[in-house]
Amino acid sequence: MAEKITFVPLSYTGWGSLSYLQQEVQRLKGQKVLLVTDPFLHEMGLTQKIIALLEELNLTINIYTKVVPEPPVAVAEELVAYAREHQNDIVVGLGGGSALDLAKLAGVISVHEGDVKDYLNLSATRSIEQKGLPTILIPTTSGTGSEVTNIAVVSLESTKDVVTHDYLLADVAIVDPELTMSLPPKVTAATGVDALTHAIEAYVSQNASAVSDAVALQAIQLISQSIRSAVKDGQNQQARIDMSYGSYLAGLAFFNAGVAGVHALAYPLGGQFHIAHGDSNAVLLPYVMGYIRPSCEKRMKDIYNAMGFNSGYLSQEEASHKCVQELQRLVEDVGIPSSLKGFDISEKALTGLTEDAAKQTRLLARSPMPLGKDDIFAIYKAAYDAFVFK
């Protein structure tokens, strides 16, 4: 069966790859740059590296720093209005997934009519018709993979939605692990398990292919075997390099194969309780995988091996059980709460979470096991009780 495989047109990866920013801005003929970043990065001086490189080219630079985690639609609308007002001709996104997603929206929606909400997946009244401004995305976390996907996520009142189109793909991704060295342990953990979730869900996805499988397994290996070191010692250069490459590969994997149940159930946690996306994925990962385990035992055995364990003496069923156990142990080891109670979510909230998660039909369709409302509620209840399915 023919399969579509899509990658960002050009990527630079590895230590010091930020040095390619100048030549790419020149190649894309940028003269008036919109730099989208968050206030924390701006205050700590990381944006100064970018600004200094751009100033050497005598460019006009408009800096937008009103990025917030899990950005609501209103924030995206404000940025698009800012981009239209300043008539930029190139966008540079610097930061975590929120900054990169907003940079994509600024680049594309600003050259279209209407508002961001008009292009959302669940409520679209308009369609993206033309390529936006040239965009360069530079992640400072090892997690979201936004630099290599065509997706921009925004928060709604109780869940999340996306704008998705190949025109949202960056023209250039610059993935420099040196920029992640100052990432705090908590953010390193949350974004790292987010990336691991991308790779795992891509590998068990109904849309998986030989190409996505290859990058997913390599991502699982790199992330699972370096995340503990990166969280414990943020200055561990090799751990940061491995996490950076792992996140990049995980992004390529899930962009081409898709994510599924973990993300479907995680979105309402962010929408209703404003829990960081990485934490939402992390707390649910062992419970979702434990629930769907019977439908993908062989693949979970592969994941177990990629995590550095030897399943040679185990049956597929035994290895899949151990895989779930190791995922639970990894989440606990990096300091993320292992149950919904750890995020102060009450049991009475589970019904509302279930209703919102069930709306994510696009994501749920990729699960190797069909997940209806009863299944979703059972997973939330398990995550509340800290009961991993056996």
Side-chain angles (χ1 to χ4, degrees):
M1 182 177 68
E3 295 165 333
K4 177 185 176 183
I5 303 295
T6 307
F7 292 153
V8 163
L10 179 62
S11 297
Y12 293 97
T13 63
W15 198 269
S17 54
L18 181 62
S19 62
Y20 289 96
L21 175 62
Q22 288 179 321
Q23 75 176 49
E24 288 307 314
V25 170
Q26 290 179 309
R27 180 179 67 85
L28 295 168
K29 297 181 170 37
Q31 293 295 321
K32 198 170 184 180
V33 181
L34 172 59
L35 175 59
V36 180
T37 189
D38 66 58
F40 174 74
L41 293 178
H42 192 55
E43 290 168 8
M44 68 181 291
L46 189 55
T47 55
Q48 294 307 312
K49 287 187 176 182
I50 308 299
I51 294 168
L53 290 169
L54 296 175
E55 285 181 338
E56 289 179 7
L57 302 177
N58 296 315
L59 306 177
T60 300
I61 307 168
N62 294 309
I63 306 172
Y64 188 89
T65 63
K66 296 182 182 180
V67 173
V68 297
E70 319 296 323
V73 175
V75 172
E77 304 282 17
E78 182 180 331
L79 173 57
V80 168
Y82 181 92
R84 287 170 175 159
E85 176 187 353
H86 288 81
Q87 298 182 327
N88 306 278
D89 57 20
I90 189 168
V91 179
V92 175
L94 174 73
S98 296
L100 303 189
D101 283 1
L102 288 173
K104 295 179 195 178
L105 293 173
V108 173
I109 306 301
S110 66
V111 304
H112 288 76
E113 294 183 352
D115 300 320
V116 173
K117 66 178 182 294
D118 299 329
Y119 298 89
L120 293 174
N121 176 65
L122 296 177
S123 58
T125 58
R126 296 177 181 269
S127 58
I128 292 172
E129 303 290 348
Q130 59 180 308
K131 193 178 187 312
L133 305 176
T135 303
I136 300 174
L137 299 182
I138 309 170
T140 59
T141 67
S142 296
T144 68
S146 179
E147 69 276 6
V148 292
T149 74
N150 69 355
I151 304 164
V153 184
V154 294
S155 295
L156 304 180
E157 186 174 341
S158 62
T159 186
K160 294 185 180 182
D161 202 355
V162 300
V163 179
T164 178
H165 193 282
D166 280 354
Y167 286 156
L168 267 72
L169 280 170
D171 293 275
V172 181
I174 298 177
V175 185
D176 188 339
E178 187 175 3
L179 300 178
T180 70
M181 293 293 282
S182 60
L183 207 62
K186 184 176 180 180
V187 181
T188 300
T191 56
V193 181
D194 185 20
L196 180 62
T197 303
H198 292 155
I200 289 173
E201 290 214 283
Y203 190 65
V204 301
S205 169
Q206 293 280 27
N207 296 344
S209 68
V211 174
S212 66
D213 284 351
V215 289
L217 286 175
Q218 182 66 14
I220 292 166
Q221 178 181 327
L222 288 167
I223 297 167
S224 65
Q225 297 184 41
S226 61
I227 187 170
R228 292 176 175 88
S229 297
V231 171
K232 183 178 180 180
D233 176 14
Q235 297 304 303
N236 184 322
Q237 183 172 333
Q238 189 58 54
R240 290 295 194 186
I241 290 171
D242 289 348
M243 289 295 294
S244 183
Y245 277 117
S247 172
Y248 173 76
L249 293 172
L252 294 177
F254 95 83
F255 175 42
N256 284 284
V259 288
V262 179
H263 277 71
L265 273 68
Y267 278 173
L269 294 184
Q272 294 187 33
F273 297 97
H274 307 292
I275 299 171
H277 179 62
D279 286 333
S280 299
N281 276 334
V283 69
L284 291 169
L285 178 61
Y287 302 103
V288 175
M289 298 309 297
Y291 193 84
I292 69 171
R293 181 200 57 77
S295 67
C296 50
E297 289 179 349
K298 168 63 170 65
R299 296 218 149 213
M300 291 189 68
K301 182 176 182 178
D302 295 339
I303 293 168
Y304 181 69
N305 289 332
M307 293 177 71
F309 300 98
N310 180 9
S311 69
Y313 62 96
L314 299 172
S315 67
Q316 289 183 11
E317 181 182 9
E318 291 168 334
S320 66
H321 280 299
K322 286 188 174 292
C323 179
V324 175
Q325 294 167 5
E326 290 304 326
L327 291 175
Q328 184 180 34
R329 183 174 292 115
L330 184 150
V331 171
E332 292 174 349
D333 285 351
V334 298
I336 297 174
S338 58
S339 75
L340 296 181
K341 291 178 184 176
F343 291 99
D344 295 324
I345 295 175
S346 67
E347 188 170 7
K348 66 181 181 181
L350 303 186
T351 299
L353 289 170
T354 298
E355 291 295 325
D356 282 340
K359 297 174 184 176
Q360 300 292 338
T361 54
R362 177 179 56 86
L363 304 182
L364 294 170
R366 301 177 188 136
S367 172
M369 173 186 288
L371 296 175
K373 284 188 179 180
D374 289 345
D375 304 296
I376 294 169
F377 184 86
I379 294 169
Y380 278 134
K381 186 66 166 63
Y384 178 81
D385 293 332
F387 169 77
V388 178
F389 297 97
K390 306 298 182 185

